[in-house]
Amino acid sequence: MVDRALAEGATALVRGRTLGNLVEPTVLSGLPADSPLLHQEIFGPVVLLVPFDGDEEAVRIANDTPYGLSGAVHTADAERGVNFAHRVETGMFHVNDSTVQDDPQVAFGGEKASGFSRLNGEATVEAFTTQKWISVQHGRTDFPF
């Protein structure tokens, strides 16, 4: 995917090597707006730097993908970061932290093609549990009607 982006005109600010299954960090900029890499879910140390002009455009760019597992924003204004997080279509979002978080007490999962279910905490109990109401009456029931 990185080689394809470079062939399409992206610039490698940092170009890691691939050694077997090990991929070194890569930072790309200057990707064309129609680059397939901008619409992929990349599970590797690849960072795409995409310039934007204001929060509205940043949200549009972030949501312009069929995926939505996790996201992050770094800002001096935490309230602005939380407002931004509410508008990005992901299952998880982190303000002033990395996108890689997993806590067994907190629901983990994505949106769109990244999945619609959650793991961990109460979400796991709900995913593997079906509620059922069982009532037992001993004796005669007095109906109110």
Side-chain angles (χ1 to χ4, degrees), residues 91-111:
M92 303 168 288
F93 203 93
H94 310 282
V95 178
N96 296 334
D97 205 352
S98 72
T99 60
V100 181
Q101 296 288 337
D102 191 13
D103 182 322
Q105 303 303 316
V106 179
F108 179 97
E111 291 294 322

Side-chain angles (χ1 to χ4, degrees), residues 1 3 8 21 33 51 54 58 61-62 66 70 83 89 91-95 99 101 105 112 122-123 141:
M1 290 191 301
D3 289 339
E8 294 170 348
N21 291 332
I61 291 168
S70 185
N83 288 334
E89 298 164 351
M92 303 168 288
F93 203 93
H94 310 282
V95 178
T99 60
Q101 296 288 337
Q105 303 303 316
K112 303 191 258 184
E122 291 182 24
T141 300

Side-chain angles (χ1 to χ4, degrees), residues 5-143:
L6 292 170
E8 294 170 348
T11 301
L13 302 177
V14 174
R15 178 65 165 113
R17 298 172 295 158
T18 301
L19 308 167
N21 291 332
L22 177 65
V23 179
E24 294 176 341
T26 297
V27 179
L28 301 177
S29 68
L31 284 91
D34 62 346
S35 172
L37 194 56
L38 292 171
H39 305 282
Q40 294 291 316
E41 194 167 42
I42 305 170
F43 291 101
V46 178
V47 173
L48 310 176
L49 299 179
V50 179
F52 59 91
D53 196 16
D55 290 4
E56 293 302 320
E57 185 178 8
V59 169
R60 184 192 58 73
I61 291 168
N63 289 337
D64 187 23
T65 173
Y67 301 101
L69 181 58
S70 185
V73 66
H74 293 266
T75 177
D77 184 343
E79 185 176 340
R80 179 180 178 198
V82 169
N83 288 334
F84 183 84
H86 280 291
R87 296 170 28 210
V88 177
E89 298 164 351
T90 59
M92 303 168 288
F93 203 93
H94 310 282
V95 178
N96 296 334
D97 205 352
S98 72
T99 60
V100 181
Q101 296 288 337
D102 191 13
D103 182 322
Q105 303 303 316
V106 179
F108 179 97
E111 291 294 322
K112 303 191 258 184
S114 293
F116 294 103
S117 61
R118 300 292 183 267
L119 302 173
N120 297 342
E122 291 182 24
T124 299
V125 174
E126 288 180 28
F128 295 101
T129 304
T130 301
Q131 291 187 12
K132 186 173 190 173
W133 176 26
I134 298 175
S135 136
V136 177
Q137 174 61 34
H138 296 281
R140 190 174 181 125
T141 300
D142 293 324
F143 290 100

